[in-house]
Amino acid sequence: MKTENELVLSKADKNKAAARLLEMYEQMFLLRSYEEKIYFLFLEGVMPGTIHQSQGQEACAVGMLFDLRKEDYMTSTHRPAGHCLAKGVSLDSMMAEMFAKSTGCCKGKGGAMHTGDISVGAIPAIAITAGGMPVAVGVGLSCKMRRTDNVVVCFFGDGASNEGAFHEAMNAAAIWKLPVVFVCENNFYGASTHIKLVTNIENIADRASAYGMPGEVVEGNDVELVNEAATRAIARARKGEGPTIIELKTYRRCGHSRNDACAYRDKVEEKEWYAKDPLIISKNRILEEKYATAEELEQIEKRVLQRIEDAVEYAKNSPDPKPEDALEHVYAV
Ligand SMILES: Cc1ncc(C[n+]2csc(CCOP(=O)(O)OP(=O)(O)O)c2C)c(N)n1
Ligand SMILES: [Mg+2]
C-alpha cells in the first residue's frame, strides 16, 4: 500500500505528465496547422518557391526537441518546418520567410528548404539529402572543443541513410565521441521509392553497431515514447559519452512535395498509418487520463489557429527585401 507521501508525489508526477503532454499536443497541433495553412496558401498561388511538408511526423520533431535548451543545436532536412517550430524559430519569421519578406527568418532569401534561425540553435536547413549530417558533426565538434555541454540533434530521412555523407558523419561522430543525436525519421519512402527497394535491413538503427554507438528503434508517432528516447540519448551526449542513432518509424500524411498525389503508395498501408496519427494518439491519451476535457483542448486549438492567422497578417504586411539586400548576408571568397 502507498503511504500518504507517495500518493502526494504520484499526484504531482501526474500533474507534471499532464502539463507536458498538453504542451506537446499544443506544439504538434501548431506544426500540423501551420503546414496545412501553408499548403492552402500555395494552392492560392500567393507564395513563391516549393514545399516539402511533414504532416504526420509531428511527434518526431516535438518529442525529440521538447527538452532541448536554446543553446543546443538542431540540423534539419528539405522538410524543416516542424523541426524549426519545435526548436523555437518564431512563427511570424517562418511565415514571413514563406512570403519571401525581409522579416523572414532568412530575410526572405532561404524559403521553405532553408528555414532556420541560428539565434535559437536551428541551423538553417540544407535540402541536399544527408547534407545536414556532416554539418551536425562539425557543430558537435565545436561544442566539444569549446568545452560546453551543448548537444546537437540531427534529423535525416531513411533515404539519406544510404548516402555516403551518412556513413562519414556517423563514423566521425563515433570516434570523436561527439554530442550528436542522429534521428532517422523513417517514413518508409525516399520521394517515391519504398525503403525495401534500396535497403536490405529491417532497421536503419541496426547500423549503429557498425560505428560502435547505441541504436534504438522507436514508435515515431507516439510523442511520449519519442521524448523518452530523446531523454536517454541527450543525457548520454551531454555527459560526453558520444552519439546515438534513434530511428523513428513514422509516415507522412502528405505527398513528397506539393504536387505529389502519392500514387506509388499502397492504399492499405496508408489507411493503417493514417489511423496512427500522432495527434490522435496524444489527444486520446489526454482524454483517457483526464489531463484535460475536450472543451479545453478545443480552446488550445482555437488559440493556435489564431496565432497562425496573425502570422499570415504579419507576413503579408511585412516589407519586401530591397534589391540591394541581395548583397547582404552573403559570403564569398
Ligand atoms: C543528394 C541529393 N539527391 C537527391 C535529391 C532529391 N531529393 C530530395 S528529397 C529526396 C528524398 C529523400 O528521402 P528521405 O531521406 O527518406 O527523406 P523524406 O523525403 O522521406 O523526408 C530526394 C531524392 C537531393 N535533394 N539531394
Ligand atoms: Mg523518407
Side-chain angles (χ1 to χ4, degrees):
M1 202 169 119
K2 289 193 166 173
T3 64
E4 204 174 312
N5 270 352
E6 280 171 332
L7 281 174
V8 171
L9 195 68
S10 64
K11 195 167 173 216
D13 282 347
K14 194 166 178 187
N15 285 345
K16 198 171 156 209
R20 284 175 67 83
L21 187 56
L22 278 170
E23 171 66 25
M24 288 190 216
Y25 178 77
E26 179 162 351
Q27 284 194 22
M28 289 197 291
F29 188 78
L30 170 68
L31 270 48
R32 174 73 55 91
S33 311
Y34 171 83
E35 291 206 304
E36 280 176 355
K37 185 73 192 178
I38 296 287
Y39 185 70
F40 285 113
L41 289 166
F42 256 95
L43 290 185
E44 283 175 19
V46 298
M47 280 179 172
T50 188
I51 43 172
H52 298 82
Q53 302 202 295
S54 56
Q55 290 98 327
Q57 302 185 189
E58 293 87 352
C60 304
V62 172
M64 282 308 308
L65 301 175
F66 196 73
D67 294 306
L68 273 203
R69 304 170 184 159
K70 193 175 163 193
E71 300 73 31
D72 293 324
Y73 296 95
M74 177 275 291
T75 63
S76 185
T77 68
H78 54 288
R79 220 178 277 293
H83 304 150
C84 287
L85 283 170
K87 184 66 182 77
V89 181
S90 93
L91 173 60
D92 282 351
S93 76
M94 282 183 60
M95 190 65 84
E97 187 63 33
M98 297 303 295
F99 278 90
K101 296 299 184 103
S102 64
T103 53
C105 55
C106 294
K107 318 260 179 238
K109 294 174 188 171
M113 283 190 281
H114 304 292
T115 310
D117 181 348
I118 193 73
S119 73
V120 294
I123 311 279
I126 298 176
I128 303 297
T129 304
M133 302 188 74
V135 174
V137 172
V139 176
L141 182 60
S142 154
C143 291
K144 185 167 177 165
M145 288 176 76
R146 288 182 289 123
R147 300 183 194 283
T148 70
D149 69 346
N150 296 335
V151 303
V152 190
V153 170
C154 167
F155 289 100
F156 61 97
D158 45 289
S161 72
N162 287 327
E163 291 282 348
F166 164 95
H167 302 282
E168 293 175 29
M170 292 287 163
N171 198 50
I175 57 164
W176 292 328
K177 280 193 184 280
L178 299 182
V180 183
V181 180
F182 293 103
V183 183
C184 179
E185 291 177 294
N186 183 354
N187 59 13
F188 300 95
Y189 290 87
S192 56
T193 304
H194 195 278
I195 187 173
K196 287 234 149 79
L197 295 173
V198 290
T199 305
N200 223 5
I201 50 173
E202 188 68 24
N203 301 313
I204 305 296
D206 292 348
R207 290 184 177 164
S209 63
Y211 307 102
M213 67 172 86
E216 207 178 327
V217 181
V218 180
E219 243 176 79
N221 283 8
D222 186 323
V223 73
E224 288 181 304
L225 293 181
V226 174
N227 185 245
E228 283 167 21
T231 303
R232 287 188 286 275
I234 290 167
R236 193 179 127 76
R238 264 200 222 294
K239 278 190 280 179
E241 292 172 7
T244 304
I245 306 181
I246 296 178
E247 176 180 0
L248 305 174
K249 306 278 192 196
T250 187
Y251 206 74
R252 55 174 155 74
R253 297 181 71 85
C254 49
H256 168 68
S257 59
R258 72 187 148 128
N259 49 13
D260 169 19
C262 295
Y264 49 86
R265 288 206 312 208
D266 179 65
K267 296 302 148 202
V268 177
E269 174 192 276
E270 271 185 358
K271 221 173 139 195
E272 279 170 11
W273 274 98
Y274 286 175
K276 293 191 271 186
D277 185 309
L279 273 82
I280 295 177
I281 291 175
S282 297
K283 195 172 196 167
N284 286 345
R285 193 163 303 148
I286 288 168
L287 295 173
E288 276 161 25
E289 296 285 338
K290 300 201 182 346
Y291 288 164
T293 62
E295 292 71 33
E296 284 163 341
L297 283 178
E298 238 172 71
Q299 286 306 314
I300 290 175
E301 291 170 1
K302 252 171 100 173
R303 189 165 71 219
V304 169
L305 293 175
Q306 186 57 50
R307 282 183 61 202
I308 292 171
E309 289 310 314
D310 293 347
V312 172
E313 278 311 296
Y314 170 82
K316 282 184 173 166
N317 294 326
S318 287
D320 290 324
K322 296 195 272 312
E324 56 269 33
D325 292 345
L327 302 176
E328 297 285 329
H329 303 107
V330 288
Y331 298 92
V333 282

